[in-house]
Amino acid sequence: MSSHKSSLSSSFHNGSSGGLSTTGGGGGGGGQSQSSTSTSNKMRIRAFPATMDEKYVNVIWSMLKNAIQEIQKKNNSGLSFEELYRNAYTMVLNKHGEKLYSGLKEVVTEHLINKVRKDVLDSLNNNFLSSLNQAWNDHQTAMVMIRDILMYMDRVYVQSFGVEPVYNLGLRLFRDTVVRYRLIKDHLRNTLLDMVNKERRGELTDRSAIKNACQMLMTLGIESRTVYYQDFEEPFLQQSAEFYRLESQNFLAENSASVYIRKCDERIREESERANHYLDKSTESRIVKVLENELITAHMKTIVEMENSGVYHMLKHDKHHDLNCMYKLFNRVDHGLDTIADCMSGYLREQGKNLVQQDEHESAKSSTTTNTTATATSSTTNATKTSEESQQQQNQQQKNPINFIQSLLDLKERFDYFLHVSFNDDKLFKKRINSDFEYFVNLNQRVPEYLSLFIDDKLKKGVKGLSEQEIDLVLDKSMVLFRYLQEKDVFERYYKQHLAKRLLLNKSLSDDSEKNMITKLKTECGCQFTSKLEGMFKDMTLSNSMMDEFKNSLQQNNSSLADLCGLDLFCRVLTTGFWPTQQTILPKCNLPLNARNAFDTFKRFYLSKHSGRQLTLQPGLGSADLNALFYTNQQQQQQTQTRKHILQVSTYQMVILMLFSSKERWTYEEIRQETDIPDKELMRAVQSLAMAKPTQRVLCKEPKQREILASDVFVVNDGFTSKLFRVKIGTVSANGPKAGGETDPERLETRMKVDDDRKHEIEAAIVRIMKARKKMQHNLLVTEVTNQLRPRFLPSPVIIKKRIESLIEREYLARTTDDMKMYTYVA
């Protein structure tokens, strides 16, 4: 090592100027120490010659070349890198950088071709990746050392002439002469792809070898992934696409949708983990995209529509977890969630339409049956149903609307659970569910009536097993269905009717629950929607106060107590317009004298308090408690026994029963003439008294047959017995059970009233809009009117046009002379 170092020093000293040397130092410099005129330990700097001869340049290059070759052979321990650096510095400084750069390129290329490539080719069939990786590591180490020696050339010559830095030059030469040599390139690609495929099939592979090869390819790209992409990633993605295309087809043909979804998720996780572990991280998104295309996008419709395992099957059998897995998987691809949502929407609409059609079928069947109800007048006789059949049918029809709405609520609750658990509250699915419910809820025109009946059932007294919190929860769910209604004005009409009956007949569960429901409606539709409902409650409050004043007045004036004839009178004063049960033509009814006198007493009191008002009786809305005495049969007259009951009856029933206090036997015709009750209401009252359940049969009919004739005789049923002291006598409908909803004629009448109200609302909206706009085109006006009225109902463009024509005839609007479809507001 000493002789080698001395040789380098001698060469440098003889040929170069400007290098560093010491006076009095050892080696072959003893003669200079004797001739020196200065202190032996001092250093002096010699100036370089202005030029270097070619011979000296060749000597320096020969020394550097030899050193580079030694580094490539891993014999660098005996080299003086300081001396090598100075020699390279000298060549560049004296304008011989090109010779140094081109010489380096030749030496590296020669070594890569003759040594490295040969060794790698020899290992193609034996430890190929190991040999290649070893060669690559050795080359990197050598190039780092060479770069350090030629650092000055990197800083000066490379930047001045725009050529590749030394290290990058070494990478490119390794890439072009070794890695991209045809045999090596093909074998490297095939080896890597085979190893990945083996791992996909469950075989063990050398992951570190694949990782080293991928890192090598990325490094050889020199700040670019081109080499990695062209030599490995592109064929890797193509092979992966083909592999998973075949696997997905085979697996899908042999397995259910649930198993296939779990397999897809497993494969995606495997490939993602593989890319993160030994491929370049940038490959992860690309390979996952390939899997998404081949495993999901290509088979979306097939998966969701698979018989006995697709979305229909999962929804039908409440496979929440499987649906959630499908949701997460399909959320990866474009239009994946739309595909699931379309299938879910189809299933939901099918379920909803089945509910609606089933209800319509049962209603039509029931309507056909109930049309055989009996009526009787002096001139005609029709068939009647037995009391048991009528009551049974009433219970059945009462359940139909309640069950129908409950089925809709159950369906909504079920799909809300799907939305939350399976679809992660996704807005797309929420929108689809709401749209589907709105679609099939409005297929049945009876839904507004049924929903009102359902709420009526929950707010009535006698609902067992439900706390106030549970009732409030049911009302909240009912409001969800209410939002889907397009005909909210129809619901409003029915709700008013049902609310009025609950209030007037004292059947309301609690005022708090009633007001809570009205608050919900007010929040949803505004003050106008609930103003009359609130007015009804106000009437009830004022009536209670009025009755307190009335009773106080009677107590203060003892002479007036006799006017009530011993009756405990309670009246409710209803404001015209608030209450839907009021009738334009009041039904006639001859009240018993005591009841008439009591009512007249209250009427005088009320009118004395409120001048200018009218007070008329509504007999169809009243009720009465009668003290009734029933005697034993005539055979046991010697031991007379009486049974006392309090009968809770309607006003009409009370009028009929009071007749039997003056006479034992009454024919149907005599009852009709004496009471003057309308035929329809009279039939309902007589049926409920004489043909109801045995526990409510207060009267006996002769003859006992299914027909009611004008000559039929009615007497008090002395055999009447009941375990209850207070007996409530129900009322049946002459045209079908009212509790189950209106009959077809009644429903048609209600619809006509709704249509009449809508005409006024449409005209009011048209006038409001035109008053603000002054001038408007027909289509724009129709659109604006529709948008304004949509919260209450969806008006038909044909109806809107008719109302516009009506307003033109009444000179609220006018057409322009130049355009017949343009309207102007007439002030």
Side-chain angles (χ1 to χ4, degrees):
M1 180 176 178
S2 297
S3 62
H4 181 66
K5 190 171 185 180
S6 177
S7 172
L8 290 176
S9 177
S10 174
S11 171
F12 178 76
H13 180 270
N14 292 333
S16 65
S17 62
L20 297 177
S21 66
T22 59
T23 60
Q32 289 197 14
S33 177
Q34 294 175 1
S35 61
S36 174
T37 59
S38 61
T39 306
S40 61
N41 289 331
K42 288 186 177 180
M43 180 182 295
R44 58 197 173 114
I45 301 176
R46 297 176 180 175
F48 284 109
T51 59
M52 294 178 63
D53 57 26
E54 188 68 27
K55 181 178 179 181
Y56 184 58
V57 172
N58 291 335
V59 172
I60 294 179
W61 163 242
S62 177
M63 182 188 62
L64 289 172
K65 178 180 178 181
N66 181 65
I68 292 171
Q69 290 174 340
E70 290 299 317
I71 291 173
Q72 290 173 334
K73 295 175 184 178
K74 304 181 185 179
N75 296 329
N76 54 296
S77 59
L79 300 178
S80 172
F81 285 89
E82 182 183 357
E83 296 289 345
L84 293 173
Y85 176 83
R86 285 202 298 266
N87 287 328
Y89 172 84
T90 301
M91 288 189 69
V92 174
L93 190 65
N94 288 277
K95 311 300 182 184
H96 293 288
E98 182 180 359
K99 180 177 180 65
L100 179 59
Y101 189 85
S102 60
L104 170 67
K105 184 176 181 180
E106 291 175 2
V107 173
V108 174
T109 303
E110 180 182 359
H111 172 72
L112 291 175
I113 293 176
N114 297 332
K115 180 67 171 68
V116 177
R117 188 166 74 187
K118 182 177 180 300
D119 291 345
V120 173
L121 287 172
D122 291 341
S123 66
L124 287 181
N125 298 319
N126 185 23
N127 296 326
F128 168 69
L129 289 182
S130 306
S131 300
L132 180 61
N133 185 56
Q134 185 62 47
W136 164 244
N137 290 333
D138 292 344
H139 180 69
Q140 281 184 298
T141 303
M143 289 309 302
V144 168
M145 298 172 69
I146 295 170
R147 179 190 62 190
D148 292 343
I149 294 173
L150 304 179
M151 189 179 298
Y152 186 74
M153 183 178 71
D154 254 353
R155 292 203 304 265
V156 178
Y157 176 78
V158 168
Q159 293 186 11
S160 298
F161 289 88
V163 295
E164 288 180 291
V166 172
Y167 187 76
N168 289 356
L169 174 65
L171 296 182
R172 181 176 62 81
L173 294 175
F174 188 87
R175 178 193 71 193
D176 295 342
T177 58
V178 180
V179 174
R180 284 197 163 177
Y181 185 67
R182 185 174 57 82
L183 292 177
I184 297 175
K185 177 181 179 181
D186 294 344
H187 193 73
L188 175 62
R189 180 185 66 245
N190 295 336
T191 300
L192 293 177
L193 295 180
D194 288 344
M195 292 178 73
V196 172
N197 270 345
K198 285 181 180 179
E199 189 175 69
R200 285 172 177 161
R201 292 192 296 266
E203 301 179 26
L204 294 177
T205 57
D206 187 354
R207 284 190 160 199
S208 61
I210 303 176
K211 182 177 183 179
N212 291 335
C214 291
Q215 290 178 344
M216 177 191 70
L217 294 176
M218 283 297 296
T219 305
L220 291 176
I222 309 175
E223 298 181 358
S224 167
R225 60 191 317 276
T226 304
V227 176
Y228 173 78
Y229 174 74
Q230 293 176 350
D231 290 13
F232 172 72
E233 188 180 70
E234 184 178 24
F236 167 72
L237 294 177
Q238 292 174 352
Q239 185 199 59
S240 299
E242 183 62 27
F243 176 86
Y244 286 112
R245 184 179 300 117
L246 294 175
E247 183 181 73
S248 63
Q249 292 173 355
N250 295 333
F251 202 84
L252 198 58
E254 299 172 357
N255 294 275
S256 65
S258 301
V259 176
Y260 180 81
I261 289 169
R262 287 194 290 270
K263 182 69 173 179
C264 290
D265 187 61
E266 178 184 344
R267 280 303 199 185
I268 290 174
R269 281 189 286 104
E270 287 176 359
E271 290 295 339
S272 179
E273 187 270 339
R274 183 176 294 116
N276 282 318
H277 192 274
Y278 61 76
L279 303 182
D280 186 70
K281 290 185 177 180
S282 61
T283 305
E284 180 186 4
S285 60
R286 292 173 170 83
I287 184 60
V288 168
K289 186 67 175 177
V290 169
L291 265 70
E292 289 172 350
N293 289 335
E294 297 301 331
L295 299 181
I296 306 173
T297 305
H299 305 292
M300 283 194 301
K301 289 190 69 65
T302 304
I303 297 170
V304 300
E305 295 176 359
M306 285 185 71
E307 189 175 358
N308 297 325
S309 67
V311 172
Y312 266 56
H313 177 82
M314 294 177 185
L315 291 170
K316 183 178 180 180
H317 295 88
D318 297 329
K319 304 286 186 180
H320 301 104
H321 178 70
D322 290 344
L323 277 171
N324 185 247
C325 292
M326 180 182 288
Y327 168 83
K328 292 178 179 177
L329 192 68
F330 278 50
N331 195 24
R332 293 174 168 271
V333 301
D334 295 336
H335 308 297
L337 297 184
D338 288 325
T339 305
I340 300 178
D342 289 341
C343 200
M344 180 208 70
S345 180
Y347 174 81
L348 178 54
R349 291 199 175 200
E350 179 182 314
Q351 295 297 306
K353 288 173 69 175
N354 287 341
L355 283 176
V356 172
Q357 291 171 355
Q358 181 181 359
D359 172 74
E360 289 178 342
H361 175 72
E362 291 179 356
S363 298
K365 181 178 178 181
S366 175
S367 176
T368 302
T369 306
T370 55
N371 282 338
T372 60
T373 311
T375 60
T377 63
S378 58
S379 59
T380 59
T381 302
N382 295 323
T384 65
K385 281 192 168 291
T386 63
S387 59
E388 292 82 1
E389 290 173 334
S390 182
Q391 186 65 34
Q392 194 175 31
Q393 185 179 339
Q394 179 175 353
N395 293 337
Q396 180 63 30
Q397 275 206 320
Q398 184 175 0
K399 291 179 181 179
N400 285 342
I402 311 302
N403 292 342
F404 173 71
I405 296 299
Q406 187 61 55
S407 298
L408 288 178
L409 292 177
D410 292 343
L411 186 64
K412 183 64 170 64
E413 184 177 4
R414 183 172 167 229
F415 272 82
D416 282 344
Y417 190 77
F418 278 125
L419 176 65
H420 178 66
V421 175
S422 301
F423 304 129
N424 295 354
D425 292 319
D426 192 285
K427 291 182 179 179
L428 170 65
F429 288 87
K430 184 176 182 179
K431 183 178 179 181
R432 287 293 188 91
I433 291 173
N434 290 335
S435 175
D436 295 336
F437 266 89
E438 183 175 356
Y439 164 73
F440 59 72
V441 161
N442 291 286
L443 289 177
N444 190 343
Q445 290 187 342
R446 298 177 179 177
V447 172
E449 177 191 0
Y450 287 179
L451 181 59
S452 180
L453 282 168
F454 178 82
I455 297 173
D456 178 63
D457 180 71
K458 301 306 176 185
L459 293 178
K460 277 183 179 178
K461 287 182 178 178
V463 179
K464 297 180 180 179
L466 292 179
S467 63
E468 288 189 6
Q469 291 79 8
E470 290 172 330
I471 291 176
D472 187 59
L473 181 61
V474 172
L475 296 181
D476 284 336
K477 292 179 179 179
S478 302
M479 288 303 299
V480 174
L481 288 185
F482 173 76
R483 294 186 188 102
Y484 297 137
L485 293 179
Q486 292 178 351
E487 297 184 319
K488 292 183 174 63
D489 57 336
V490 179
F491 171 86
E492 179 188 10
R493 176 171 287 273
Y494 283 113
Y495 189 81
K496 286 178 183 177
Q497 294 176 2
H498 297 143
L499 174 62
K501 291 181 179 179
R502 290 197 300 275
L503 295 178
L504 296 177
L505 300 179
N506 198 27
K507 291 184 176 181
S508 182
L509 182 65
S510 71
D511 287 347
D512 290 339
S513 297
E514 294 286 1
K515 291 178 180 179
N516 185 23
M517 183 62 196
I518 292 178
T519 301
K520 296 179 190 296
L521 293 172
K522 188 175 183 178
T523 303
E524 190 69 28
C525 300
C527 300
Q528 184 180 0
F529 191 89
T530 58
S531 59
K532 293 183 179 179
L533 303 179
E534 292 171 336
M536 294 162 66
F537 271 97
K538 185 177 180 181
D539 280 352
M540 298 296 290
T541 303
L542 292 177
S543 294
N544 292 335
S545 301
M546 180 63 65
M547 288 308 301
D548 290 339
E549 292 182 23
F550 177 62
K551 290 180 179 179
N552 290 334
S553 175
L554 292 179
Q555 290 176 355
Q556 293 173 4
N557 186 6
N558 293 330
S559 61
S560 298
L561 289 173
D563 294 339
L564 292 183
C565 304
L567 299 181
D568 183 9
L569 180 68
F570 191 91
C571 296
R572 298 195 186 278
V573 181
L574 313 181
T575 303
T576 303
F578 287 169
W579 298 79
T581 50
Q582 292 174 327
Q583 300 178 12
T584 305
I585 302 176
L586 295 177
K588 297 179 181 180
C589 179
N590 295 327
L591 293 177
L593 182 60
N594 291 351
R596 170 62 62 183
N597 291 338
F599 172 71
D600 289 341
T601 301
F602 175 78
K603 184 176 181 179
R604 288 192 298 271
F605 168 79
Y606 181 82
L607 295 179
S608 68
K609 295 284 185 179
H610 303 87
S611 60
R613 295 189 181 182
Q614 291 184 352
L615 197 64
T616 54
L617 184 65
Q618 294 273 356
L621 303 177
S623 61
D625 288 350
L626 294 180
N627 290 318
L629 290 176
F630 295 90
Y631 297 91
T632 56
N633 294 330
Q634 293 180 356
Q635 291 83 350
Q636 300 174 348
Q637 194 68 25
Q638 295 177 353
Q639 299 178 354
T640 304
Q641 295 180 356
T642 59
R643 297 181 308 282
K644 185 176 180 180
H645 292 280
I646 295 179
L647 303 181
Q648 294 178 312
V649 294
S650 68
T651 301
Y652 290 134
Q653 291 172 337
M654 179 268 293
V655 171
I656 295 172
L657 290 176
M658 289 296 289
L659 295 177
F660 292 89
S661 295
S662 59
K663 181 179 175 181
E664 292 185 1
R665 301 171 63 86
W666 291 84
T667 65
Y668 181 85
E669 179 63 22
E670 290 173 342
I671 294 174
R672 188 174 67 83
Q673 292 179 357
E674 185 69 21
T675 62
D676 206 16
I677 298 175
D679 290 338
K680 180 179 178 181
E681 300 299 332
L682 179 61
M683 178 58 66
R684 292 180 59 198
V686 170
Q687 280 185 313
S688 60
L689 292 171
M691 303 178 67
K693 295 186 296 184
T695 55
Q696 295 184 358
R697 201 171 295 172
V698 181
L699 300 179
C700 290
K701 171 181 170 295
E702 299 176 0
K704 295 180 179 180
Q705 57 185 13
R706 296 180 59 184
E707 300 175 353
I708 294 182
L709 303 176
S711 58
D712 286 350
V713 177
F714 295 89
V715 296
V716 174
N717 179 18
D718 288 328
F720 174 81
T721 57
S722 176
K723 297 179 181 179
L724 302 174
F725 176 71
R726 185 180 293 271
V727 181
K728 178 177 177 57
I729 307 299
T731 303
V732 298
S733 172
N735 290 322
K738 295 286 286 186
E742 292 183 326
T743 61
D744 289 339
E746 292 172 331
R747 190 173 289 110
L748 181 61
E749 181 182 354
T750 301
R751 178 62 62 171
M752 291 175 64
K753 293 178 181 177
V754 170
D755 290 340
D756 288 338
D757 291 341
R758 286 181 177 180
K759 291 178 183 179
H760 301 303
E761 292 188 51
I762 293 173
E763 289 181 353
I766 294 171
V767 171
R768 280 197 306 270
I769 295 169
M770 291 302 298
K771 189 174 182 179
R773 303 289 184 87
K774 304 302 182 184
K775 189 175 182 179
M776 206 169 186
Q777 198 265 346
H778 174 79
N779 291 336
L780 294 177
L781 178 58
V782 170
T783 302
E784 188 70 22
V785 171
T786 302
N787 291 336
Q788 280 200 13
L789 297 177
R790 189 184 298 274
R792 284 185 57 80
F793 63 94
L794 194 62
S796 167
V798 176
I799 302 299
I800 296 176
K801 184 177 180 181
K802 288 182 179 180
R803 300 333 306 159
I804 292 174
E805 296 290 343
S806 176
L807 290 172
I808 291 175
E809 291 177 1
R810 287 178 282 162
E811 298 183 352
Y812 285 94
L813 306 179
R815 288 189 173 93
T816 59
T817 55
D818 54 340
D819 187 356
M820 297 299 289
K821 290 187 177 181
M822 184 68 70
Y823 306 118
T824 58
Y825 177 71
V826 179

